[in-house]
Amino acid sequence: MRDLQAMTPPGECSGVHLVPVDSLVDADSPRLGGMSPEHVEVLAQGAIEPILVHRETRRVVDGMHRLQAARLRGEKVIPVRYLDGPASEVFIHSVAANVAHGLPLTLKDRKAAARRILASHPDLSDRAVARITRLSPKTVGAVRRASSEELPQSQARVGADGRSRPLDAAERRKAARAFLAEHPGATLREIAASAGVSVSTACEIRQRMRRGGQDAAPPRPSAARRARESTRDGTRESTRDGVRDGGRAAGPGAPPGPRQAECGRPQRIETLAKDPSLRFTESGRALLRWLNERAPDLEAGRQLMAAVPPHCAVAVADLANSYAQEWQRFASSLDRAAAETAEP
């Protein structure tokens, strides 16, 4: 299994560093009108909060007004939080940070930012770009259509949940049927990989073909069902045909075994790390860091089991059970919130 500690997603590191003002590169700002001198003067009157800087390029991601205020005061250093990640996403982080706090971006600024993000990341869905720019998905769609001749086109869309979905879904399903006809013993994961569809879609196609029916496009599932399926795809082949876990098939609806759940954690964390609503917000990045920090605790606990004296085993087991119950309540609360939001 991959080392979860090595899978730290792109995000803001928590430490604050004092960095020379002259060493920083001005932001690629989404503000079409540039900085506001009045806002700079107001900031120069008080304490300057840490700014966000891309570590690799030293470019300011968020905080140009604060940086200018420090220059106005003649400061030599400024507090900085570093952002790790690819340089191609610096502008997206800058937009997400500027719409969340500070001097608000105008509607014109946000539309221009949406157009630029669509140009550099054409595979992002309208909804994902809307979350970054705080526009409506319809507005982003209008920007995409108005610039369709200039913007590069992609055959897939990365949604707000971080999952990539092909635009030619009918052709993908057709390819999955053809592959299954030639390889009737193929696993769901093999079918999905061959045609570029999800494991749940491959499962549905196989079931329809077994019943001798045509593989018509299914009705659009509810958001709650899509959320449940997205968490199963990385670790389960099917909830009806059985789950392959070490060569054994689980019964319908059976929960994943320990080995299966353990192998699925890196995939789930990777999926969450790709979600724009998490990776481009400070609270989302904090959640991703927290999940990554918790993962190694499980392996450390297994290694420490041998050190538990027999007379302490009951007490340690009680503590482990109490922690497990808290996690279960946490998971149940999230399940209920997702169901209530998606299904009135």
Side-chain angles (χ1 to χ4, degrees):
M1 186 176 67
R2 294 176 61 186
D3 182 6
L4 293 179
Q5 287 180 305
M7 293 173 53
T8 303
E12 180 183 339
C13 68
S14 57
V16 177
H17 309 267
L18 288 177
V19 175
V21 170
D22 295 339
S23 69
L24 300 178
V25 179
D26 285 357
D28 185 5
S29 176
R31 301 182 189 278
L32 300 178
M35 288 187 293
S36 167
E38 295 80 8
H39 190 54
V40 170
E41 291 180 2
V42 170
L43 293 175
Q45 303 304 315
I48 296 179
E49 296 294 325
I51 66 176
L52 187 61
V53 173
H54 186 238
R55 188 192 300 271
E56 180 182 353
T57 62
R58 311 287 285 185
R59 183 176 291 278
V60 176
V61 178
D62 179 40
M64 273 304 302
H65 284 93
R66 282 167 280 167
L67 177 60
Q68 190 61 26
R71 290 169 176 168
L72 183 64
R73 286 166 37 169
E75 302 285 354
K76 299 299 183 183
V77 294
I78 188 171
V80 162
R81 294 185 188 274
Y82 283 118
L83 177 78
D84 295 314
S88 61
E89 295 182 355
V90 169
F91 181 75
I92 296 179
H93 284 285
S94 181
V95 174
N98 278 278
V99 299
H101 61 81
L103 191 65
L105 294 178
T106 66
L107 178 61
K108 187 177 181 180
D109 290 338
R110 287 179 284 136
K111 284 185 176 180
R115 186 182 185 282
R116 182 170 169 181
I117 292 171
L118 290 171
S120 61
H121 296 75
D123 57 334
L124 284 180
S125 70
D126 294 345
R127 191 173 297 276
V129 177
R131 287 193 177 185
I132 296 169
T133 58
R134 298 291 175 88
L135 295 169
S136 71
K138 290 184 178 180
T139 300
V140 175
V143 172
R144 190 193 296 271
R145 289 190 298 273
S147 309
S148 58
E149 294 183 359
E150 302 175 16
L151 296 178
Q153 302 301 311
S154 172
Q155 295 303 313
R157 290 286 184 269
V158 178
D161 58 359
R163 298 177 64 191
S164 179
R165 296 172 175 83
L167 296 180
D168 56 340
E171 291 298 323
R172 300 294 180 97
R173 295 174 73 90
K174 183 178 179 180
R177 293 197 302 272
F179 180 84
L180 186 54
E182 295 179 5
H183 306 84
T187 65
L188 292 176
R189 203 173 288 279
E190 291 170 344
I191 300 169
S194 71
V197 298
S198 67
V199 175
S200 59
T201 299
C203 174
E204 179 197 352
I205 292 173
R206 185 169 71 178
Q207 290 173 349
R208 286 175 177 269
M209 293 183 66
R210 283 179 176 177
R211 292 194 296 265
Q214 294 297 321
D215 176 41
R220 184 176 180 86
S222 66
R225 178 185 167 190
R226 293 196 301 271
R228 291 192 295 269
E229 288 178 348
S230 67
T231 58
R232 293 178 186 142
D233 282 352
T235 57
R236 307 184 67 176
E237 287 197 348
S238 171
T239 57
R240 295 184 179 178
D241 293 341
V243 179
R244 299 182 184 275
D245 184 12
R248 297 186 303 276
R259 286 178 54 196
Q260 186 180 11
E262 179 179 350
C263 294
R265 290 188 196 111
Q267 296 174 346
R268 293 186 181 186
I269 291 180
E270 282 184 318
T271 299
L272 290 173
K274 295 175 183 177
D275 188 334
S277 61
L278 293 178
R279 69 185 303 174
F280 295 137
T281 62
E282 183 175 354
S283 59
R285 293 193 293 270
L287 173 62
L288 293 172
R289 287 196 300 271
W290 183 71
L291 290 173
N292 274 278
E293 290 168 357
R294 298 286 79 78
D297 293 346
L298 300 173
E299 183 59 32
R302 295 190 190 96
Q303 296 175 359
L304 291 173
M305 284 180 62
V308 178
H311 65 280
C312 297
V314 174
V316 174
D318 286 343
L319 282 172
N321 281 326
S322 67
Y323 295 152
Q325 290 170 5
E326 288 296 329
W327 272 104
Q328 186 59 52
R329 282 193 284 269
F330 179 69
S332 298
S333 298
L334 290 176
D335 285 339
R336 286 195 300 272
E340 291 171 359
T341 300
E343 298 177 354

